[in-house]
Amino acid sequence: LKNIRSIEDFDSLLTECVNEIIECEKFLVAYEKAEEDFIYVYNTYVKHEESNQIFNSYYSELKNIRSIEDFDSLLTECVNEIIECEEFLVAYEKAEEDFVYVYETFVKHEESKEIFNIYYSELKNIRSIEDFNTLINECVDEINKYEEFLDAYDKAEDDFASLYQNYASNESAKKIIDTYYNELQSIGRTEDFESLVDACCSELLQVSGSVSMEDVVIPVRATEENSNADVNETKETFVAAAEIEDETETEAVVDTTADNNDVEPTYTADVGGFVTRCYNVALNREPEQAGYDYWTELLIGGQKHGGEVGLGFIFSEEYTNKNTSNEQFVTDLYTMFFGREADVEGFNYWVGKLNAGEERVSIFAGFVFSEEFANLCQAYGIYA
């Protein structure tokens, strides 16, 4: 002011002073507001140490700002980066929790634990929130597949253990089981375990059974008088299946695809009951799971008829070794193929045939090609 030499310059000087003070005050007010805004950002958004480091980096830049507009820009960039960081860290923590859940829920075997550890170690390398879910889903899928494989392996081992137990006294059967069991380690697909056990069961029944369906024939009774005798429903069907020759006894091979199997069956949930009864009656035990599944699936799929399955049991080595009497054999046929006790007249008829020298396979044919057995199979929804 003391240097002014012109009246007009007094106003100019004052105006410049006012303008500069106002600009400075605006800047300082904006600075103070920016500091308050940074404190709000810190209290509101910063939850992790990593976000704190981001905050400090931006806050230290505050003192270098020379333009009011730059306060807002700096603050906006800080908020956006902190929010992005916090979202990532929250997603990371959730991913860690998800991995814990995956471990506790899906990992049951040591081998699956190794898979889990590989994926979990990748967690720290993730840089995108979307990649957390991808990593976890891939981990779960691979663990599930491997656990299913290992469960199938364990089940196959249990099935083979049951087979060893059930055929403990049969050396030839144990050799067959050994052969299939030794292939267990080379299985590479989950579905192949069941196929391996099924193949073993199939071969065991083939070697343990002394009779095949091709051996099943119907002995025809000698006289017309006898053929018309009303002993029981089974005997009538039995006799009617072959042509009667005068005063002679002949054998007629049975067509296993005729008569009783004209109608396409619709299996029921009780089809396993027939298999269980075969085990109970012929082998005096409950079925092992592998054998139960094997025969049930064959019956449901139509690959085996009820008579064929019954044949495998009633003429198996395990049943034959029981050395049943003729009376017990007939009783077992009634129970297995009719699901009932023998009526006195029918029982005496069949036992008399056996005592007179009739082959057991012929008596078996009388039951499996009877109308009563066909009706029973129809109720189960399987071919007779």
Side-chain angles (χ1 to χ4, degrees), residues 290-309:
Y292 176 87
D293 292 342
Y294 174 75
W295 290 114
T296 302
E297 288 172 8
L298 289 178
L299 286 168
I300 290 174
Q303 295 98 323
K304 289 288 185 182
H305 294 193
E308 292 176 291
V309 172

Side-chain angles (χ1 to χ4, degrees), residues 28-38 72 75:
L28 294 173
V29 168
Y31 185 94
E32 291 172 352
K33 182 179 182 303
E35 282 195 318
E36 292 174 358
D37 289 341
F38 266 95
D72 286 340
L75 188 66

